[in-house]
Amino acid sequence: MSESLYTQLLDLACGAFLLAAVMILWRRELDAIVRIFALQGIALAAVAALLGLHEERWDLIAVAAGIGLLRAGVLPYLMRRALTAPTADHRTYDTDGAETRETQPLVNVAASLLTAAALTLLAYAVARPLAELDPTPATQALPVGLAVVLIGFFVLVTRRRALAQVVGFLLLDNGITATAFLATSGVPLIVELGVSFDVLLAVLVLQLLTTRMRAAFGTTDIDDLRELHD
């Protein structure tokens, strides 16, 4: 693979990775958010695969395959199961329009997109000195990972549905993973396996909690559950 082709493909994969995070802020339907997250998992796997091909590291290509399987397949599947969990009266999300989307996020869509733009500019400003230390195509794309980390934090604090907050947590993890890949040209296979199993375990626990909340209270709105606690 030529250097120019590698740079173009890496920029394309990183652009798709960042665009998926912004689209999650744009969409309110939970099912669409899960699908976009799966697409972001494919983009992250593509970033890892390109780094592996460029450096001829087969362990990194194996990591890319594992990332694609976990973050574009297993995790979205678990979130879809939580999305279709039955309520206390044996209905599913699909029969309750209010539960299939973020009806009243703390920040509206327009303000969320403007915030995403501001966070991306902040990520580029913070990462610029780091990229100048070793100006390679991978380090030049380092701000993309940092921007997704910041957007993941923003989703966590502004979304009210439990499932949307799970996606925010996973966005945060995807951003950290991308930053590690771009800053170090990949991480050892054993490290990525350990982190992936930790993330899978966390999502299994969150999926179980979300399902139980839906079955017990008929909603996963954080504000409604806080009122029940009060």
Side-chain angles (χ1 to χ4, degrees):
M1 182 185 298
S2 66
E3 190 70 21
S4 61
L5 179 60
Y6 161 69
T7 302
Q8 292 174 3
L9 291 177
L10 184 63
D11 289 343
L12 179 62
C14 290
F17 182 71
L18 178 58
L19 179 61
V22 175
M23 289 182 66
I24 286 175
L25 288 176
W26 175 49
R27 299 302 297 268
R28 291 189 179 184
E29 296 81 6
L30 296 179
D31 186 60
I33 288 174
V34 173
R35 289 198 301 269
I36 295 171
F37 173 78
L39 294 176
Q40 187 186 55
I42 295 174
L44 180 59
V47 170
L50 287 169
L51 291 172
L53 289 172
H54 182 256
E55 300 184 6
E56 298 182 351
R57 287 182 52 189
W58 299 109
D59 61 326
L60 192 52
I61 295 176
V63 168
I67 287 176
L69 178 63
L70 177 65
R71 300 174 192 245
V74 177
L75 297 182
Y77 169 74
L78 292 175
M79 287 188 284
R80 289 191 186 97
R81 285 190 60 185
L83 192 62
T84 57
T87 61
D89 54 358
H90 304 290
R91 293 182 303 168
T92 66
Y93 272 99
D94 294 332
T95 61
D96 184 358
E99 280 293 317
T100 61
R101 67 196 309 267
E102 281 282 348
T103 53
Q104 295 180 342
L106 298 180
V107 180
N108 61 37
V109 173
S112 295
L113 294 178
L114 289 175
T115 303
L119 292 175
T120 302
L121 291 175
L122 176 62
Y124 271 88
V126 170
R128 184 175 181 180
L130 299 175
E132 291 177 349
L133 295 175
D134 183 20
T136 65
T139 56
Q140 294 293 334
L142 186 60
V144 171
L146 295 177
V148 173
V149 170
L150 296 176
I151 291 173
F153 271 121
F154 183 72
V155 173
L156 273 173
V157 301
T158 59
R159 294 304 175 101
R160 296 172 57 186
R161 300 293 177 191
L163 187 62
Q165 292 190 348
V166 171
V167 173
F169 165 76
L170 294 175
L171 273 181
L172 176 63
D173 180 72
N174 279 353
I176 293 173
T177 302
T179 301
F181 280 133
L182 296 171
T184 65
S185 296
V187 294
L189 177 60
I190 189 64
V191 174
E192 181 58 33
L193 285 176
V195 173
S196 296
F197 279 122
D198 287 343
V199 171
L200 179 59
L201 178 60
V203 172
L204 284 171
V205 173
L206 292 172
Q207 187 258 350
L208 178 61
L209 290 175
T210 302
T211 301
R212 293 295 180 86
M213 288 164 54
R214 173 69 174 165
F217 305 111
T219 182
T220 59
D221 190 297
I222 303 301
D223 290 342
D224 290 344
L225 295 176
R226 186 176 297 114
E227 290 178 2
L228 288 173
H229 178 269
D230 295 337

